């Protein structure tokens, strides 16, 4: 089995910063890419940022210049540094890993989510 555990969410004032972490464990095999998504109540889950195994990154237009995704391959951990946070960034953030586990086929795995609240 593969498990993804997010951490680092919380309450921050507008203009503040948070750093999210996502640790992947279990029968990982080969990680193809990882990403952060966010989902507001009643809305679809949207990509925030993604990073490939080679380190290529992609960002939603709404977070470019403010968020930075990174990955520590040796620890199977991904990070999202969020700066200049806005109230509209507040929602639940989910970690995703697209990988080939040792005993299976390519699949997407998700964490349970971490809440980010931006409020004064």
């Amino acid at each position: 089995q593969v498990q993804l555990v997010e951490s680092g969410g919380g309450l921050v004032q507008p203009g503040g910063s948070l750093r999210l972490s996502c640790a992947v464990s279990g029968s990982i095999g080969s990680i193809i890419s990882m990403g952060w998504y966010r989902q507001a109540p009643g809305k679809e889950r949207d990509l925030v940022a993604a990073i490939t195994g080679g380190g290529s990154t992609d960002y939603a237009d709404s977070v470019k210049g403010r968020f930075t995704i990174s990955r520590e391959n040796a620890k199977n951990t991904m990070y999202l540094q969020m700066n200049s946070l806005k109230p509209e960034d507040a929602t639940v953030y989910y970690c995703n890993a697209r990988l080939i586990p040792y005993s299976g086929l390519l699949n997407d795995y998700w964490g349970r989510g971490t809440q980010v609240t931006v409020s004064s």
Side-chain angles (χ1 to χ4, degrees):
Q1 286 190 348
V2 175
Q3 298 85 36
L4 279 67
V5 178
E6 303 103 334
S7 61
L11 172 64
V12 65
Q13 292 185 343
S17 298
L18 282 175
R19 189 193 195 205
L20 305 183
S21 298
C22 172
V24 186
S25 62
S27 300
I28 297 171
S30 177
I31 297 177
I32 306 304
S33 65
M34 297 185 71
W36 290 98
Y37 289 72
R38 63 189 182 187
Q39 185 173 22
K43 295 189 177 182
E44 294 185 351
R45 190 171 294 186
D46 294 324
L47 176 68
V48 176
I51 185 167
T52 67
S56 298
T57 59
D58 188 26
Y59 295 92
D61 288 342
S62 60
V63 307
K64 284 181 180 177
R66 300 188 298 122
F67 291 9
T68 302
I69 190 171
S70 61
R71 183 174 157 183
E72 197 168 354
N73 290 336
K75 294 184 178 180
N76 290 318
T77 301
M78 175 179 63
Y79 306 97
L80 185 68
Q81 179 66 42
M82 304 187 295
N83 299 329
S84 302
L85 281 160
K86 304 175 181 179
E88 52 263 42
D89 295 318
T91 188
V92 180
Y93 285 70
Y94 294 90
C95 170
N96 167 269
R98 176 161 293 180
L99 60 87
I100 303 173
Y102 289 124
S103 58
L105 301 175
L106 178 68
N107 205 350
D108 280 314
Y109 295 85
W110 295 90
R112 293 186 176 183
T114 185
Q115 177 72 48
V116 171
T117 302
V118 184
S119 176
S120 55

